[in-house]
Amino acid sequence: MRDVSGFRFAGVSAGIKANGEPDLGLIVAELPVATAAVFTSNRLPAAPVVLSRETLRASYGRTRACVVNSGNANALTGHSGVRDARRMQQATADGLGVPPEQVMVASTGVIGVPMPMERVESGIAAAIREARPSGFSDFARAILTTDKSVKMAVESAAGAPLLGCTKGAGMIAPDMATTLTFVVTDAQLEATSLQRSLGHAVETTFNRIAVDGDMSTNDMILVMASGLGVRPKLRPWTDALTSLLDDLARQLMRGGEGVHHVVAIEVRGAPSEDAARRVARAIAVSPLVKTAIAGEDPNFGRILAAAGTAGVPLTGDRLSLDVDEAPLLRSGAPVVEPEGEARARAVMQRPEYTIALDLGIGRASARYLACDLSHEYVSINADYRS
Amino acid sequence: MRDVSGFRFAGVSAGIKANGEPDLGLIVAELPVATAAVFTSNRLPAAPVVLSRETLRASYGRTRACVVNSGNANALTGHSGVRDARRMQQATADGLGVPPEQVMVASTGVIGVPMPMERVESGIAAAIREARPSGFSDFARAILTTDKSVKMAVESAAGAPLLGCTKGAGMIAPDMATTLTFVVTDAQLEATSLQRSLGHAVETTFNRIAVDGDMSTNDMILVMASGLGVRPKLRPWTDALTSLLDDLARQLMRGGEGVHHVVAIEVRGAPSEDAARRVARAIAVSPLVKTAIAGEDPNFGRILAAAGTAGVPLTGDRLSLDVDEAPLLRSGAPVVEPEGEARARAVMQRPEYTIALDLGIGRASARYLACDLSHEYVSINADYRS
């Protein structure tokens, strides 16, 4: 993994997590760098989300650092939570000798518990001391919560490297996994272009994982571009960013709680992209489809019934359905062939496959990523106090 | 249970279900009676839904009979499905000597399998022979599929009895349980008034069970009023119908697959009823809230985070939250009291309780019924081929 010029990274154990795992991460840019971000649309955003949104605006998209803690979400913590997020920002700014409005802040972990600010502040001091150009994987480790492993990805666009990492609370399928994602690059890009690229790239990746991925109280995707490298054309750069985020989104799904199957829901032949997206989403979020995926059961009735809930007019006898290379339905009629069902069952045992539904009424298409709803999911979430 | 004048009912075993259980039900009115119905909004409605919607229109809301089979949904069955639904209608009409456009048809059971029409037709003949005024519970039994028990309820409005029954595929929480519900009364009511009452009554009952209850390919709620009894005022009659449907909806939830807790989600202090409804729904459908209900865990963070996904602006420090008599949150702050959590846990062990969230920003309220997401749910639906 090659370094991205202009940045240093750190990940340290500040004692926020009881188990002593790394829980404080820092990205430092040598100079103010172009920065873009998307934030949760949850109407009860955590204090660091509110603060970072303000910060991005106040800095005109040119920041110097991002400080992140895991182990405590600083969410639903009221006025003291706002104060604590500002203290994190100020401590980082003071330690680095930069203005506080150039420091982004993110948190993830338990909800509704006050932040252990002494530990956080000494962690920030340690992270500032330890930050180094090759520290990205330390950073990537420090942002994890219930994740089973570090999730990183690399891309490049016209010689500009992109380095990214992500974490999920694991509960990816439903609406409130906290997803934090960070991308750094040395490409020369204006903040406005960066923001536009990010909007595009998120739309078909993190916003298409089962439920609009942007719903936890703490979600944030941050991109920082140091400008020390090449100046890429925006189109291929956006493609590279999309590909990087797609890679990270898949890692997130695979690492989800109790997930054994990551399934792409491809809807084709739709009258519009929006219609395709709505149908794909209805299938991806259906608990009955998700349990059928868990049971490795090619139950086309559930898939079609879910498609019918999207509010998009459908014509039953135009529908075709496949799981990877196994056809289930042609022009609305079940495909009856020797060993057809056995073939479909075999596909559904794969860790990753595609459910392709052709609506036969247009030319637009869209894709969602779905996963199974399994016993582990229920166990983890019925017994775990987040 | 007193009879409702003007109707006869039957429930017989036609051999559609492999296990020999009753699977064909019939309601016969002595004369054309005022009829109202609401149907699924699924965009791939089953053939009997399409036919009954047409029939209700063609009869100007005055029908003579409703024939129902369980064991086969006649859904996603293409052109032959349409033909089979018409054959059911015609056979019933011929047997009773009435026009086919006065016969409603409903089906529930497996999807995508052709109807065994010989058995259905001899079942219809048997049901016509056996129909009797006191046969409502036979009818109620014949419409069941995976239900563990018969679900009936009685109400009265100003001396007019209402008799109702319902069935669910059991998968009530998610979007595609097939719910069939039938109500008969001898009240004197015009079809248009009946339809208006039904619309009102459904809105706060069957449309508020976890997900808009109207999403399976086969759902239908039918009300028939013989007019042989009193002429009630519409307002109290609508209240009685609402109360009857509420009773049936709760029975449906209690009988759901793997359901141990039926929880009313009450949202108060909202700026509008629509806002209250959206917040209540967001909580009711959240898989993380549903697993917390299963785990009997008073996890207020999940409830609030789910509330935040509804798109309704919320003010964190105005929120109050209770489970029955146990307070969890006041003005956004966790209620810390000795044994507070133990009390909340005790409430959440009850089979039925209320989660009350006061938004503190208005006077409107709304209620949803939710249930737990349990291991049994996953087992039943991962292993069951519907």
Side-chain angles (χ1 to χ4, degrees), chain B residues 136-137 140-141 143-153 164-170 172 180-182 247-256:
Chain B
F136 193 76
S137 57
R141 178 167 301 280
I143 67 172
L144 304 180
T145 51
T146 55
D147 304 70
K148 283 172 274 182
S149 61
V150 171
K151 297 169 182 74
M152 293 196 292
C165 67
T166 193
K167 62 80 49 180
I172 306 305
L180 297 180
T181 304
F182 302 90
D247 185 345
L248 292 173
R250 281 176 182 273
Q251 290 186 44
L252 211 57
M253 292 289 276
R254 277 198 295 268

Side-chain angles (χ1 to χ4, degrees), chain B residues 345-370:
Chain B
R345 283 186 187 276
V347 167
M348 293 182 76
Q349 288 166 17
R350 295 175 188 160
E352 304 205 13
Y353 61 91
T354 297
I355 294 176
L357 175 64
D358 193 321
L359 305 183
I361 48 176
R363 310 185 68 167
S365 64
R367 205 193 55 157
Y368 250 82
L369 281 185

Side-chain angles (χ1 to χ4, degrees), chain A residues 43 297 302 308 375 379 381, chain B residues 43 302 308 375 379 381 385:
Chain A
R43 295 308 185 107
D297 175 13
R302 288 193 189 168
H375 284 288
S379 293
N381 289 302
Chain B
R43 297 307 185 108
R302 289 192 188 169
H375 284 288
S379 291
N381 289 303
R385 169 64 77 96

Side-chain angles (χ1 to χ4, degrees), chain A residues 255-343:
Chain A
E257 286 164 357
V259 170
H260 301 287
H261 302 281
V262 175
V263 182
I265 310 291
E266 292 255 4
V267 172
R268 302 167 192 153
S272 70
E273 200 188 316
D274 182 59
R277 192 191 55 77
R278 279 156 62 201
V279 172
R281 182 180 187 284
I283 296 170
V285 303
S286 158
L288 288 178
V289 171
K290 289 159 87 70
T291 47
I293 292 172
E296 301 172 350
D297 175 13
N299 188 324
F300 67 86
R302 288 193 189 168
I303 296 167
L304 297 191
T309 67
V312 174
L314 301 176
T315 309
D317 58 12
R318 298 243 177 145
L319 302 174
S320 291
L321 184 69
D322 299 82
V323 292
D324 278 358
E325 74 279 7
L328 289 175
L329 216 67
R330 283 289 173 275
S331 304
V335 173
V336 185
E337 56 173 33
E339 297 170 40
E341 175 147 340
R343 250 168 85 195

Side-chain angles (χ1 to χ4, degrees), chain A residues 42-44 79 174 176 286-288 291 295 297 302 304-305 308 311-313 317 341 375 377 379 381-382 384-386, chain B residues 42-44 79 174 176 286-288 291 295 297 299 302 304-305 308 311-313 317 341 375 377 379 381-382 384-386:
Chain A
N42 195 295
R43 295 308 185 107
L44 287 171
H79 297 297
M176 353 169 198
S286 158
L288 288 178
T291 47
D297 175 13
R302 288 193 189 168
L304 297 191
V312 174
D317 58 12
E341 175 147 340
H375 284 288
Y377 176 84
S379 293
N381 289 302
Y384 168 85
R385 168 66 75 97
S386 72
Chain B
N42 194 295
R43 297 307 185 108
L44 286 171
H79 297 297
M176 328 158 225
S286 158
L288 287 179
T291 46
D297 175 13
N299 189 325
R302 289 192 188 169
L304 298 191
V312 174
D317 57 13
E341 175 148 340
H375 284 288
Y377 177 83
S379 291
N381 289 303
Y384 169 83
R385 169 64 77 96
S386 71

